[in-house]
Amino acid sequence: MLAYLRTLTRGPVAITLVLLMAVAFAIWGMPNMFSAANRAPARVNGEAVPRADLERLVENFVRGAQRQDPTFTRDQAIEQGVAERAIHQFVRGLGVTASDAQLAEAIQSMPQFQAALDPSGAGNFDPIAYRSAVAEMGFAVPEFEAMLRAEIASVQVFTALSLGTRAPQSFAAFDLAYQSETRELSFVEVPPVNPETMPAPTEEELAAFYSERSSAWQRPERRTLMIAVADPTVFADRVEVTEEQLRAEFDRISSTWAQPERRTFVQITLPSEAAAQDAATRLSSGAEPQEVATALGGQLINHTDVTREDVADARIAEAAFGIALGAPAQAAAGSLAPWSAIRLSSVTAAVTPSFEERRDEVRQSIVAEEAVTLMQDAVREFEQQRRRRVGFEEAAAATGLRAVRAENVAADGSLADGSPGLGFPGAEAIVQAAFEARQGRASDWLNLETGEEVSVLVESITAAFVPELAEVADEVRVAWRINEAANRQRATAEAVVAAVTGGETLAAAAQARSLRVVNSPEGLSRQQVSETFGPEVLGQAFGLGVGEAGVGRLAVTGPDGRPQATPVLMVVGVRSVSRMSPEEAGPILEQIRIQGTQQLQQAMGDTLAAAARGLARVEEDEEVIQQMFPATAAAGS
């Protein structure tokens, strides 16, 4: 081997590689060949943001933010990570820092650093939990504390800058009026008009309607596909399994089926052999284990259905698994405690599967594995035949693959006859691959969840087109009638509104059109109207003045949860408006003002932080960032 390597390094290939490297060094210089690996991903006011810091910040931003917002992307995390450095620089420039006492208080108050098994429930700080959690976040303790100190200082600065902000009383009064407002409303339901009652359109009306909306009848691009299916179950019948193979495979995997012996016993740890013998005697006479442990000052440990390996103390495990079921309790010396008394209560025998019991299972395992190997061999042979220009269908037949033709498939998987699509699992992935491939080219092999592998050839493509009116005249007539029925419905509703605007009462305007008015029994809030009638009716009900009326669609859903195709229109009339006055509100008004103050302070703090980021000179190295986070190049994730 060494002689071979020495020969290889003297050959023409090695000499060529050396010459190419020498030319590269001469043109670009050695450092520049790997410069992206050494550059910082970003600089803030000239200060480099280390790669490791940005990676940790991004990872923790993504982990934390996606719990609240699953759409939060890695690109947003990168932006926040760089922005955080800008804010920390701004605060550091003001000379503000957090004290050691503030840092300690912050760390000790964080719930993730509390003792998980604290019996007092007081949530005491656990140094072990602290170090473990910090390590899990990817930080060394000094690095984490430096970052946290900077965060505390930033909060102090922006809180101080916004602390004097106070919501005026008028803000609270306005918010009170908005939140407490209720309205007495009247509703007139204008039901859908049956499209079947509409007269047939004239040829001119039909042509005009089609001209305005012809894109609604556009036919999608369709492709005719030939699909080669490699099914491992087809190759399973070709597999022959010998007795020697069965025995060898059983020997290889039988240990995974074996179940070790399990025992249930009690252990009382004690300081001396005499105490352990005393405890064993008491246990053998039927005394309760807890009573024995309490009387002798020992600790009771219950071992339930455990294996030998489950017992932490190896010497106790040896003793417990050496006692015969029904034998008296025994005293045993331990490794972790000086002595123990052990009483055995149950034994579940070890299970060792026999060859005959598992014969069929072993055979199925071998057949499944060999079938996949044969299938993959067939796929390779299929590809070789295709390279020799054998037809797609002929190559499939020659290699034992199944060929399926699917004609006129659209990008959504539907077929020209209106059926939903291909009739086997994995159809969605197959159609996607087909619409990414060029005509006359086969896709890469796709692995389906069923274990099958498929390749798709695009035989022909029919481009998307808008048919002539004559081809879709019946469809257009149906659509025209539906549209005309909706126009009639809308005209009726707007006529009611016009009558109210002209001075009629809503009741009179509705009665003249054989419609019924329903008055709300009491004032309704925004939430009540929204939940009952939907957003359009809400906009009318709380956007109109007393005595006015407006039209909104009622939010009606069908059995599938989707909006109803033929909506109900609702004419809404406002009879009265009620709001709580500041005098009636009492202490509620002050609570609203306090909430408003907190919101203003938060908004101001956010604005100041954004200003600090905006003032910073941020330079991002896109090449380095793409190298560090390649997923950001795709879909922004």
Side-chain angles (χ1 to χ4, degrees):
M1 175 62 76
L2 290 174
Y4 172 75
L5 290 173
R6 284 194 292 270
T7 302
L8 184 63
T9 59
R10 298 192 188 101
V13 174
I15 294 170
T16 303
L17 288 173
V18 170
L19 288 173
L20 288 173
M21 290 175 68
V23 171
F25 290 155
I27 295 174
W28 294 292
M30 182 180 289
N32 289 335
M33 290 189 69
F34 305 101
S35 58
N38 298 322
R39 296 198 305 266
R43 290 182 176 273
V44 179
N45 294 323
E47 181 182 305
V49 179
R51 284 174 171 246
D53 285 8
L54 185 61
E55 285 174 345
R56 285 193 297 259
L57 285 168
V58 167
E59 183 63 29
N60 287 302
F61 271 133
V62 170
R63 187 188 307 164
Q66 286 189 342
R67 292 173 188 157
Q68 307 296 327
D69 179 10
T71 64
F72 186 85
T73 67
R74 191 174 293 273
D75 284 344
Q76 290 172 293
I78 293 169
E79 182 181 347
Q80 286 193 21
V82 175
E84 186 174 272
R85 277 305 181 103
I87 292 171
H88 290 173
Q89 271 196 16
F90 173 77
V91 172
R92 194 167 65 240
L94 297 175
V96 179
T97 185
S99 67
D100 291 343
Q102 290 170 323
L103 178 64
E105 182 182 359
I107 291 173
Q108 291 174 9
S109 65
M110 292 183 180
Q112 61 267 45
F113 303 152
Q114 309 301 316
L117 301 176
D118 185 356
S120 68
N124 294 324
F125 175 70
D126 183 353
I128 297 176
Y130 170 56
R131 289 193 294 272
S132 175
V134 168
E136 188 176 343
M137 288 187 284
F139 290 96
V141 169
E143 291 174 323
F144 174 77
E145 292 180 354
M147 185 191 72
L148 184 58
R149 193 187 295 272
E151 284 293 323
I152 295 169
S154 299
V155 171
Q156 288 176 329
V157 167
F158 293 115
T159 300
L161 291 173
S162 62
L163 197 57
T165 307
R166 186 175 185 274
Q169 202 71 20
S170 58
F171 180 95
F174 176 82
D175 202 22
L176 172 70
Y178 182 87
Q179 293 185 28
S180 65
E181 180 178 334
T182 60
R183 296 190 168 208
E184 290 187 348
L185 305 171
S186 297
F187 299 97
V188 177
E189 182 181 311
V190 182
V193 177
N194 185 355
E196 297 296 330
T197 63
M198 296 295 99
T202 65
E203 292 302 315
E204 293 75 14
E205 288 173 327
L206 194 67
F209 182 76
Y210 175 77
S211 177
E212 292 173 3
R213 311 184 185 201
S214 59
S215 61
W217 286 276
Q218 177 173 301
R219 299 316 192 217
E221 175 186 314
R222 292 189 176 276
R223 299 186 171 203
T224 294
L225 316 175
M226 179 61 74
I227 307 167
V229 182
D231 185 351
T233 60
V234 171
F235 293 89
D237 293 338
R238 306 181 188 179
V239 178
E240 296 182 2
V241 183
T242 66
E243 190 70 14
E244 291 74 15
Q245 285 178 294
L246 287 173
R247 291 282 181 181
E249 181 67 7
F250 175 80
D251 292 341
R252 187 179 70 84
I253 63 175
S254 60
S255 61
T256 62
W257 292 323
Q259 298 179 16
E261 179 183 321
R262 292 180 174 275
R263 294 194 168 206
T264 296
F265 61 93
V266 294
Q267 173 190 0
I268 300 176
T269 61
L270 294 158
S272 67
E273 181 179 4
Q277 292 289 0
D278 187 5
T281 301
R282 298 188 188 201
L283 290 173
S284 298
S285 64
E288 287 296 324
Q290 186 59 65
E291 294 177 0
V292 175
T294 302
L296 298 178
Q299 180 183 0
L300 174 64
I301 303 173
N302 289 300
H303 299 270
T304 304
D305 199 30
V306 295
T307 66
R308 183 188 293 263
E309 288 70 24
D310 292 334
V311 182
D313 191 320
R315 296 178 69 182
I316 295 299
E318 184 179 357
F321 278 76
I323 301 173
L325 186 61
Q330 292 184 12
S335 303
L336 303 178
W339 284 88
S340 294
I342 302 170
R343 186 178 73 185
L344 181 66
S345 56
S346 71
V347 176
T348 301
V351 176
T352 302
S354 69
F355 174 74
E356 292 304 325
E357 289 173 336
R358 296 285 183 165
R359 181 189 183 90
D360 290 343
E361 195 170 343
V362 172
R363 186 182 186 283
Q364 290 171 9
S365 173
I366 295 173
V367 168
E369 187 174 341
E370 291 292 330
V372 170
T373 300
L374 290 175
M375 181 188 76
Q376 292 171 345
D377 290 343
V379 167
R380 282 191 290 271
E381 176 61 24
F382 172 87
E383 290 296 326
Q384 290 176 2
Q385 294 211 19
R386 290 287 294 150
R387 283 192 287 272
R388 293 196 293 268
R389 301 188 180 278
V390 177
F392 195 85
E393 197 167 0
E394 291 79 4
T399 55
L401 307 185
R402 188 169 81 253
V404 179
R405 173 175 273 102
E407 298 185 353
N408 297 319
V409 181
D412 64 358
S414 62
L415 304 181
D417 61 3
S419 58
L422 305 177
F424 51 84
E428 185 176 341
I430 294 171
V431 172
Q432 181 179 345
F435 275 78
E436 291 173 353
R438 298 197 303 272
Q439 183 172 347
R441 298 293 298 273
S443 72
D444 292 335
W445 287 86
L446 307 174
N447 296 313
L448 305 185
E449 292 182 0
T450 57
E452 296 172 317
E453 295 185 12
V454 297
S455 179
V456 190
L457 173 72
V458 180
E459 285 194 339
S460 64
I461 299 175
T462 303
F465 69 98
V466 177
E468 296 295 330
L469 173 59
E471 297 178 48
V472 291
D474 290 342
E475 296 177 37
V476 178
R477 287 190 184 91
V478 170
W480 184 91
R481 283 193 167 97
I482 292 172
N483 185 69
E484 188 66 16
N487 290 340
R488 299 282 179 92
Q489 180 191 21
R490 172 64 66 172
T492 300
E494 291 177 349
V496 173
V497 173
V500 172
T501 304
E504 288 188 42
T505 64
L506 183 59
Q511 186 176 9
R513 293 159 182 81
S514 302
L515 301 173
R516 186 168 63 93
V517 177
V518 176
N519 296 321
S520 62
E522 56 186 14
L524 299 176
S525 67
R526 282 181 168 80
Q527 183 177 355
Q528 289 172 319
V529 174
S530 177
E531 291 176 351
T532 306
F533 301 100
E536 284 198 18
V537 176
L538 171 66
Q540 296 293 338
F542 280 81
L544 299 169
V546 175
E548 295 179 340
V551 182
R553 285 182 300 178
L554 185 65
V556 178
T557 56
D560 59 356
R562 297 182 178 180
Q564 191 168 288
T566 52
V568 173
L569 295 182
M570 191 72 74
V571 178
V572 187
V574 181
R575 303 200 312 275
S576 69
V577 178
S578 299
R579 302 183 185 95
M580 184 182 293
S581 68
E583 292 75 22
E584 295 173 304
I588 296 176
L589 187 66
E590 181 61 17
Q591 292 175 7
I592 293 175
R593 190 193 64 77
I594 292 171
Q595 291 173 357
T597 295
Q598 292 171 344
Q599 292 169 0
L600 284 174
Q601 290 176 348
Q602 179 66 45
M604 181 167 287
D606 292 344
T607 302
L608 291 168
R613 291 194 295 268
L615 290 171
R617 188 178 75 258
V618 176
E619 305 166 80
E620 293 186 1
D621 191 323
E622 287 298 329
E623 182 184 358
V624 177
I625 289 175
Q626 291 294 334
Q627 184 187 81
M628 292 172 61
F629 308 106
T632 59
S637 59

